[in-house]
């Protein structure tokens, strides 16, 4: 894919309609993973099939399961939990839990 230069964030979509958002800087951190398998086997539904995003440096609500769509956006659009009062960035070391 080609990410357009005006993209600033990513909105991640799960198969159930759940979403979460990340700045591009956080999305492309060295330790962020997109997992499709575990121990040589495909993920099962409870583990997050078809794809699970793991963002170790941010609270777990940023590590979306059942990922089916990645949308690069010009603005950081709040996801499901962020629309309900959770912090937009979610750094646990700064205790960024709620807005």
């Amino acid at each position: 894919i080609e990410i357009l230069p005006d993209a600033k964030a990513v909105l991640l979509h799960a198969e159930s309609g759940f979403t979460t958002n990340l700045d591009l800087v956080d999305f492309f951190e060295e330790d962020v993973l997109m997992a499709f398998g575990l121990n040589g086997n495909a993920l099962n539904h409870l583990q997050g099939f078809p794809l699970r995003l793991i963002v170790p440096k941010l609270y777990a609500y940023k590590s979306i399961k059942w990922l089916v769509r990645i949308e690069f956006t010009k603005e950081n659009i709040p996801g499901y939990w962020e629309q309900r009062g959770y912090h937009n960035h979610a750094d646990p070391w700064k205790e960024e839990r709620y807005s």
Side-chain angles (χ1 to χ4, degrees):
I1 65 167
E2 179 183 346
I3 301 170
L4 298 176
D6 58 350
K8 303 283 186 265
V10 61
L11 186 62
L12 303 138
H13 300 261
E15 74 177 22
S16 63
F18 176 83
T19 57
T20 196
N21 61 317
L22 292 167
D23 288 328
L24 283 185
V25 171
D26 292 320
F27 184 69
F28 286 113
E29 281 287 336
E30 187 175 283
D31 61 350
V32 171
L33 301 172
M34 282 195 203
F36 59 87
L38 177 66
N39 297 326
N41 299 306
L43 293 177
N44 63 42
H45 186 73
L46 291 176
Q47 294 167 325
F49 176 86
L51 193 60
R52 181 176 187 162
L53 181 74
I54 302 166
V55 187
K57 292 179 184 162
L58 301 180
Y59 278 113
Y61 62 93
K62 295 294 188 175
S63 295
I64 191 169
K65 294 167 111 178
W66 312 295
L67 181 60
V68 294
R69 183 170 156 218
I70 301 169
E71 179 181 359
F72 293 92
T73 59
K74 293 178 184 180
E75 298 174 11
N76 197 330
I77 301 167
Y80 178 88
W81 287 111
E82 296 80 14
Q83 291 174 24
R84 287 156 178 80
Y86 281 76
H87 198 278
N88 203 42
H89 184 245
D91 185 335
W93 303 110
K94 296 178 182 176
E95 296 192 26
E96 295 176 336
R97 296 180 199 167
Y98 305 105
S99 296

